[in-house]
Amino acid sequence: MKLVGFGTSNKVKDHCSRDERSFQQRLSYNTLGDLALALIDGTVYEIVQGLLDIQHLTEKNLYNQRQKLHCEHQALKQDLTRRHKEALLSCKPHNLALLKTNHQAEQEALEIRVREEQRMMDKKIVVEIDQKVTDQQNTLEKAGVPGFYITTNPQELTMQMNLLELILKLQQKESQYGLL
């Protein structure tokens, strides 16, 4: 069993040294060794793949929600334009200036509404993605993957993303060689 762990540990160290020197400098050999041990039975690979699948589904769902809102806004704008054209056709000349002023106010009110709804949707998306990151950190921490814990520190998040990228690359290499 130690030989497998030793081999995996060397793969982790070699991969780190080839890809990102600064990333490796932030991780001790102990951390890399612990990561290699955590990867031995393949469970971490399965967990990471499951988290990745959930993330992709979440991102697709959020994108679809954003697109639906965009389409609703486009429909509202088209409907307003149609109503304005109809009103202009039936408007008496002496009411034209007032009608145009009212149309401009309606158009501006719709633009404000659209911007606010888009801003709220974007805020909701950010909150959901942040929650997904926290859930992923928590899952990986509970699985005993070194370097994972709940944090919002940008440098630590970058390190965790690099660790995930490393895990995915190692998984890909091991599956290429039929080790998984």
Side-chain angles (χ1 to χ4, degrees):
M1 192 64 127
K2 291 234 184 229
L3 290 177
V4 174
F6 179 73
T8 305
S9 179
N10 283 337
K11 286 181 200 171
V12 171
K13 290 174 190 171
D14 289 345
H15 196 73
C16 281
S17 63
R18 273 186 269 125
D19 282 350
E20 298 181 25
R21 299 253 183 241
S22 65
F23 172 58
Q24 184 182 12
Q25 289 170 355
R26 294 202 56 199
L27 294 176
S28 69
Y29 281 115
N30 287 342
T31 303
L32 292 174
D34 291 345
L35 178 61
L37 290 173
L39 297 175
I40 287 176
D41 70 355
T43 304
V44 171
Y45 293 135
E46 291 174 19
I47 292 169
V48 169
Q49 190 59 53
L51 293 173
L52 194 57
D53 292 345
I54 292 168
Q55 179 178 330
H56 288 156
L57 288 173
T58 301
E59 289 171 352
K60 184 177 179 180
N61 181 36
L62 293 171
Y63 174 79
N64 288 338
Q65 287 177 32
R66 183 71 159 75
Q67 284 301 105
K68 181 182 175 198
L69 182 66
H70 177 73
C71 289
E72 289 171 3
H73 289 158
Q74 289 302 107
L76 287 172
K77 289 176 183 179
Q78 289 172 355
D79 183 55
L80 185 63
T81 300
R82 180 190 52 78
R83 286 189 293 114
H84 285 180
K85 285 180 182 178
E86 289 174 0
L88 282 172
L89 291 175
S90 64
C91 182
K92 301 208 185 306
H94 64 279
N95 290 331
L96 192 58
L98 180 61
L99 183 66
K100 286 184 177 183
T101 302
N102 287 342
H103 285 180
Q104 182 66 30
E106 285 181 348
Q107 187 74 28
E108 289 172 5
L110 181 60
E111 289 300 322
I112 290 169
R113 174 184 166 190
V114 165
R115 275 195 307 273
E116 181 61 21
E117 287 179 2
Q118 286 175 338
R119 188 185 68 76
M120 294 301 290
M121 174 60 78
D122 292 345
K123 190 175 179 178
K124 175 189 171 213
I125 288 171
V126 168
V127 167
E128 284 195 42
I129 290 173
D130 284 348
Q131 182 58 51
K132 200 56 64 185
V133 168
T134 300
D135 294 346
Q136 291 172 344
Q137 292 170 330
N138 189 40
T139 299
L140 292 167
E141 180 180 27
K142 286 181 177 177
V145 182
F148 286 92
Y149 44 88
I150 296 174
T151 183
T152 56
N153 179 304
Q155 289 177 324
E156 292 170 351
L157 286 169
T158 299
M159 184 188 70
Q160 289 179 350
M161 290 182 344
N162 287 333
L163 276 171
L164 280 173
E165 189 176 324
L166 173 63
I167 290 168
L168 290 170
K169 285 180 181 179
L170 288 170
Q171 177 186 24
Q172 185 180 20
K173 286 186 186 278
E174 289 192 17
S175 64
Q176 266 180 342
Y177 297 116
L179 299 173
L180 286 179

